[in-house]
């Protein structure tokens, strides 16, 4: 047969490959039918290792026992727990932290000091059991419910969270910390050293610290408390070591060791404070052991306390960073005003603005903080604060919601002092204002003493100027608005609005239509004057059209007449301009003539006044002679 026509080489090869595999498969199944004991072409499933099977069987038995209890806790805790935002989980971590601190402080103290006797041992045993119960509840009910992130997704499935906890190192630490070495009490007596494994739960303390910092408004307070706790614990350990060293040397054996008088823990803690902080005034060590111990104390104290002091400095510096920035900015501004001889009144107003802005919002510029956030978070904050107010503005009703959100992101916060003019009559309107807090007054009259209306938080003004043009003064402010007390306003500029409207043509049409209606209702006088002109023209009716026959008959004649009339009008205009140019010359000549006549009249009047005076002088001279 002739070879087949190949249209697509790749497709032909793929089809031939599939056909070949089908033939091979058919051959294998034929052999299977002939010999039923032949091996199957499918891949044999892998054999599960014995360790894995035992582990699965163990966890299955644990689930069989614990699932009824865990399911009952679902109504209280829920199927899973968000470890970052769930306040119930953070409260539970605080309880676990108390148990961890109990074990950390008291196990070390009980191991070193003689605090075991028939009276105190039942109390220690009860407290130990309570802390162990807290450890056990945390491992059974809380840790398996913690949500986790995998591949960017938050896993909230209960089976997945349980499996994740069982495969983590956290489970190993929890299991080892709960091993009941306390049973050795029966053989060796009541000794706290058998509970040292409880200290492996220390990771929960650091988790609680991180979660608490994330929800506190002033996290630096917890950081200071935590740093002080580290310092006290280091002193506690040193007191324990000092008592052990004193017991090794013999209590009361030398002046350097613990004398055995008073409270052993307080005396040793006092020695630790003076030794580690290098206060001085301690008894001199005599033996090699005492000298070695004291030198080690000094070295450790220098290292530990320098580290803690540096950490405390960082904590306090981070807590007061904003206050330092505010103070630096204010001092630099005041220094600039003093250098340039700014009036004291202006300087006082600038200081007042700095102080109130810092007290009101805890920062000088909110945008610095918001710019560091992702767009989604900035949008969420802006929507929660101002979207409801924007939706109440008549101008923006019916516009795209996303456009309103974009506008919210362009708002700028400005604080005005009492008496500051936000808007002045006659100014060009380039912004609209939303009152965030405080109040403003629309004033007028002489000295702006008349208050027309007071606008409070949530009110909007200046929105019409966003859509008005400068033609005929349409975007001029028509009233004075000043702050009544301290006023915090959000400002939206016209440029930002137009940049947004480019992407929302439908909303642009809605705004144009509503803007015209609002301008008719409460716009400036220019819009009303135009309406009155249109009404006046409407009284006379439209101009009647010229008859077609007249236009056809006198077309050329009319053109010639119109041209002649235009020439005559142009000639008259030139004559008038020449006359107007000559008039100032004539007027100047006439004024000069008048001035000369006035001067001659004044000279003649002076001569007439001087003649009688001369006669009096002559008569006087005659009498004297």
């Amino acid at each position: 047969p002739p070879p087949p026509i190949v249209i697509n080489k790749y497709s032909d090869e793929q089809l031939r490959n599939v056909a070949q595999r089908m033939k091979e498969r058919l051959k294998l199944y034929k052999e299977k039918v002939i010999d039923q004991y032949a091996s199957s072409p499918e891949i044999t499933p892998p054999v599960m290792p014995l360790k894995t099977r035992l582990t699965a069987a163990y966890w299955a038995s644990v689930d069989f026992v614990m699932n009824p209890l865990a399911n009952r806790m679902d109504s209280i805790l829920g199927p899973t727990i968000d470890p970052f935002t769930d306040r119930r989980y953070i409260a539970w971590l605080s309880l676990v932290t108390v148990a961890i601190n109990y074990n950390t402080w008291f196990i070390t103290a009980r191991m070193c000091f003689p605090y075991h006797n028939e009276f105190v041992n039942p109390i220690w045993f009860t407290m130990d059991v309570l802390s162990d119960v807290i450890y056990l509840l945390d491992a059974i009910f809380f840790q398996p419910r913690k949500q986790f992130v995998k591949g960017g997704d938050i896993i909230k499935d209960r089976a997945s969270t349980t499996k994740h906890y069982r495969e983590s190192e956290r489970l190993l630490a929890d299991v080892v910390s709960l091993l009941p070495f306390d049973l050795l009490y029966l053989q060796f007596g009541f000794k706290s050293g058998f509970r040292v494994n409880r200290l492996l739960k220390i990771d929960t303390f650091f988790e609680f610290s991180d979660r608490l910092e994330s929800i506190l408004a002033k996290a630096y307070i917890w950081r200071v408390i935590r740093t002080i706790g580290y310092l006290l614990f280091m002193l506690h350990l040193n007191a324990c070591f000092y008592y052990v060293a004193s017991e090794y040397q013999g209590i009361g054996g030398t002046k350097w060791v613990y004398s055995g008088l008073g409270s052993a823990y307080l005396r040793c803690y006092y020695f630790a404070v003076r030794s580690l902080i290098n206060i001085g005034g301690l008894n001199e060590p005599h033996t090699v052991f005492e000298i070695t111990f004291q030198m080690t104390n000094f070295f450790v104290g220098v290292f530990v306390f320098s580290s803690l002091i540096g950490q405390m400095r960082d904590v306090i510096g981070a807590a007061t960073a904003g206050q330092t920035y505010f103070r630096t900015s204010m001092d630099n501004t005041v220094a600039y005003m003093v250098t340039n001889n700014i009036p004291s009144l202006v300087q006082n107003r600038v200081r007042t603005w700095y102080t109130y802005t810092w007290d009101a919002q805890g920062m000088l510029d909110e945008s610095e903080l918001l710019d560091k956030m992702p767009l989604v978070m900035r949008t969420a904050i802006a929507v929660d604060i101002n979207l409801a107010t924007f939706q109440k503005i008549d101008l923006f009703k019916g516009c795209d919601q996303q456009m309103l959100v974009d506008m919210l992101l362009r708002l700028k916060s400005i604080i005005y002092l009492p008496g500051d003019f936000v808007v002045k009559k006659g100014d060009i309107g380039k912004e609209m204002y939303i009152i965030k807090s405080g109040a403003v007054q629309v004033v007028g009259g002489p000295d702006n003493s008349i208050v027309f209306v007071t606008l409070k938080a949530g009110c909007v003004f200046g929105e019409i100027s966003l859509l008005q043009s400068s033609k005929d003064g349409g975007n001029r402010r028509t009233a004075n608005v000043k702050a009544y007390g301290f006023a915090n306003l959000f400002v939206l500029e016209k440029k930002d609005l137009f940049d947004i409207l480019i992407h929302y043509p439908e909303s642009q049409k809605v705004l144009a239509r509503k803007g015209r209606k609002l301008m008719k209702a409460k716009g400036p006088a220019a819009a009303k004057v135009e309406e009155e002109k249109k009404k006046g023209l409407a009284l006379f009716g439209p101009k009647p059209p010229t008859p077609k026959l007249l236009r056809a008959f006198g077309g050329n004649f009319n053109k010639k007449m119109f041209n002649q009339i235009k020439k005559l009008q142009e000639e008259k205009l030139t004559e008038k301009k020449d006359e107007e140019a000559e008039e100032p010359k004539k007027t100047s000549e006439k004024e000069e003539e008048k001035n000369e006549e006035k001067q001659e009249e004044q000279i003649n009047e002076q001569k007439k006044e001087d003649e009688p005076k001369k006669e009096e002088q002559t008569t006087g001279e005659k009498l004297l002679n």
Side-chain angles (χ1 to χ4, degrees):
I5 300 172
V6 179
I7 299 175
N8 189 324
K9 186 177 180 180
Y10 175 77
S11 300
D12 183 70
E13 290 178 356
Q14 294 295 323
L15 290 173
R16 289 179 183 277
N17 188 18
V18 171
Q20 182 65 27
R21 292 170 61 188
M22 293 294 291
K23 289 178 181 179
E24 292 176 357
R25 184 180 179 186
L26 179 61
K27 184 179 179 180
L28 288 173
Y29 276 102
K30 282 182 178 180
E31 293 177 357
K32 182 69 175 175
V33 171
I34 296 170
D35 184 6
Q36 58 180 353
Y37 298 104
S39 61
S40 175
E42 283 81 9
I43 300 174
T44 304
V47 179
M48 185 180 294
L50 179 61
K51 182 180 178 181
T52 306
R53 284 185 291 173
L54 291 175
T55 304
Y58 169 75
W59 286 122
S61 61
V62 171
D63 291 339
F64 178 77
V65 176
M66 301 304 301
N67 275 346
L69 294 175
N71 293 333
R72 290 182 181 179
M73 293 296 293
D74 288 347
S75 59
I76 301 174
L77 301 176
T80 57
I81 296 173
D82 184 359
F84 295 97
T85 59
D86 196 329
R87 300 297 179 91
R88 296 171 301 174
Y89 178 68
I90 298 174
W92 170 255
L93 285 181
S94 65
L95 184 60
V96 178
T97 301
V98 171
I100 293 170
N101 277 279
Y102 163 76
N103 288 320
T104 303
W105 285 76
F106 285 96
I107 287 176
T108 52
R110 285 156 55 185
M111 287 174 62
C112 301
F113 291 91
Y115 287 153
H116 287 161
N117 54 55
E118 295 180 356
F119 176 75
V120 180
N121 286 348
I123 299 175
W124 292 132
F125 185 77
T126 304
M127 298 296 292
D128 292 346
V129 171
L130 287 176
S131 65
D132 292 347
V133 169
I134 293 173
Y135 278 25
L136 186 62
L137 293 177
D138 181 62
I140 293 174
F141 296 115
F142 287 89
Q143 296 303 321
R145 297 173 189 267
K146 284 172 56 177
Q147 300 172 8
F148 65 97
V149 179
K150 183 179 180 181
D153 296 332
I154 300 176
I155 307 302
K156 299 181 180 180
D157 180 58
R158 173 70 173 280
S160 300
T161 57
T162 303
K163 183 179 178 182
H164 179 263
Y165 171 63
R166 290 173 179 176
E167 294 176 351
S168 64
E169 296 180 357
R170 183 70 172 270
L171 174 67
L172 180 62
D174 290 346
V175 170
V176 174
S177 65
L178 283 170
L179 290 177
F181 293 116
D182 311 58
L183 297 176
L184 296 175
Y185 290 166
L186 301 174
Q187 180 66 26
F188 301 99
F190 195 80
K191 296 182 179 180
S192 298
F194 298 131
R195 292 183 56 84
V196 174
N197 60 318
R198 301 297 190 272
L199 304 181
L200 296 176
K201 192 76 173 174
I202 194 67
D203 283 346
T204 304
F205 168 76
F206 296 111
E207 182 186 3
F208 167 72
S209 179
D210 293 338
R211 301 293 179 267
L212 187 63
E213 285 185 11
S214 64
I215 65 171
L216 288 177
K218 296 181 178 179
Y220 66 89
I221 296 176
W222 166 248
R223 297 191 190 108
V224 171
I225 294 173
R226 184 181 61 195
T227 304
I228 294 173
Y230 292 158
L231 171 62
L232 296 177
F233 185 69
M234 293 301 298
L235 296 172
H236 165 79
L237 290 179
N238 190 261
C240 294
F241 293 147
Y242 175 66
Y243 183 84
V244 172
S246 299
E247 199 172 35
Y248 174 76
Q249 287 286 98
I251 294 177
T254 63
K255 293 183 179 181
W256 181 83
V257 299
Y258 168 56
S259 63
L261 303 175
S263 174
Y265 183 78
L266 288 179
R267 296 275 184 170
C268 294
Y269 202 92
Y270 176 73
F271 171 85
V273 171
R274 300 188 67 175
S275 177
L276 283 184
I277 303 180
N278 297 322
I279 294 177
L282 298 171
N283 293 323
E284 291 292 331
H286 300 288
T287 65
V288 175
F289 176 81
E290 292 175 355
I291 294 172
T292 304
F293 186 90
Q294 191 62 45
M295 289 178 62
T296 306
N297 253 359
F298 286 149
F299 284 125
V300 172
V302 169
F303 174 75
V304 171
F305 278 89
S306 61
S307 300
L308 291 176
I309 290 172
Q311 186 176 358
M312 186 69 75
R313 182 204 62 188
D314 294 339
V315 170
I316 296 174
T320 59
Q323 184 74 23
T324 304
Y325 172 74
F326 157 71
R327 181 57 57 188
T328 303
S329 300
M330 184 173 177
D331 292 344
N332 292 337
T333 304
V334 171
Y336 173 80
M337 292 189 294
V338 171
T339 303
N340 291 276
N341 298 322
I342 304 298
S344 58
L345 179 62
V346 178
Q347 292 187 26
N348 292 333
R349 291 183 66 81
V350 171
R351 289 191 181 96
T352 304
W353 180 87
Y354 267 100
T355 304
Y356 176 79
T357 302
W358 179 258
D359 293 339
Q361 56 191 30
M363 61 190 72
L364 297 179
D365 189 2
E366 292 180 348
S367 61
E368 293 182 0
L369 177 64
L370 297 177
D371 289 342
K372 298 177 182 178
M373 295 183 180
L375 180 61
V376 176
M377 294 184 181
R378 279 188 285 144
T379 303
I381 293 174
V383 168
D384 290 339
I385 295 175
N386 293 316
L387 183 60
T389 303
F390 252 71
Q391 290 174 340
K392 295 177 183 178
I393 302 175
D394 293 335
L395 183 63
F396 299 128
K397 287 182 179 179
C399 293
D400 193 326
Q401 291 293 317
Q402 185 59 41
M403 189 200 77
L404 298 182
V405 172
D406 290 344
M407 291 170 62
L408 293 176
L409 296 174
R410 302 293 185 95
L411 294 178
K412 299 176 182 177
S413 178
I414 299 178
I415 292 178
Y416 289 89
L417 301 183
D420 282 352
F421 277 90
V422 182
V423 167
K424 285 189 176 182
K425 187 175 181 180
D427 289 349
I428 296 175
K430 298 179 182 179
E431 310 91 1
M432 66 166 287
Y433 299 89
I434 302 173
I435 303 175
K436 179 183 177 183
S437 61
V440 299
Q441 292 179 335
V442 181
V443 297
D447 300 329
N448 296 311
S449 58
I450 301 174
V451 179
F452 297 111
V453 66
T454 300
L455 305 176
K456 297 184 178 180
C459 295
V460 180
F461 61 94
E463 69 273 18
I464 298 179
S465 64
L466 292 180
L467 298 177
Q468 290 177 334
S469 64
S470 59
K471 184 179 180 182
D472 297 329
N475 63 341
R476 296 277 182 177
R477 302 293 189 184
T478 58
N480 295 322
V481 180
K482 70 176 183 178
Y484 180 69
F486 292 94
N488 191 349
L489 309 181
F490 283 117
V491 181
L492 177 65
E493 297 182 354
K494 181 184 291 188
K495 178 181 178 298
D496 294 333
L497 176 62
F498 287 168
D499 291 341
I500 294 170
L501 288 177
I502 294 173
H503 306 287
Y504 301 96
E506 295 298 328
S507 298
Q508 187 174 5
K509 295 177 183 178
V510 173
L511 286 178
R513 185 172 62 254
K514 289 195 171 185
R516 288 192 293 268
K517 291 182 180 179
L518 289 174
M519 282 188 283
K520 290 179 182 179
K522 53 181 180 179
K528 295 182 180 179
V529 169
E530 289 181 359
E531 290 180 4
E532 291 175 357
K533 287 180 180 179
K534 292 179 181 178
K535 291 179 181 178
L537 293 173
L539 294 174
F540 296 98
K543 180 181 177 181
T546 305
K548 293 182 179 180
L549 182 61
L550 182 60
R551 280 185 291 172
F553 177 73
N556 295 327
F557 176 75
N558 290 336
K559 288 181 181 179
K560 293 179 180 179
M561 289 292 293
F562 287 137
N563 293 330
Q564 291 179 359
I565 292 170
K566 286 181 180 179
K567 289 181 180 179
L568 292 173
Q569 289 177 350
E570 290 176 356
E571 291 176 357
K572 290 181 179 180
L573 288 172
T574 52
E575 290 177 357
K576 286 183 179 180
K577 290 180 180 178
D578 295 336
E579 290 176 357
E580 290 175 355
E582 292 176 356
E583 281 181 0
K585 294 180 180 180
K586 293 179 179 179
T587 53
S588 60
E589 292 176 355
K590 290 180 180 179
E591 288 177 357
E592 290 178 357
E593 293 177 357
K594 289 180 180 180
N595 291 330
E596 292 176 354
E597 291 177 357
K598 287 181 180 180
Q599 290 177 359
E600 291 178 358
E601 290 177 357
Q602 290 175 359
I603 292 168
N604 295 328
E605 289 177 358
Q606 289 178 357
K607 288 180 179 179
K608 291 179 180 179
E609 290 175 357
D610 293 337
E611 287 178 357
K613 290 180 180 180
K614 289 180 180 180
E615 292 177 356
E616 290 177 358
Q617 289 178 357
T618 53
T619 53
E621 289 175 355
K622 290 178 181 180
L623 291 171
L624 289 172
N625 294 326

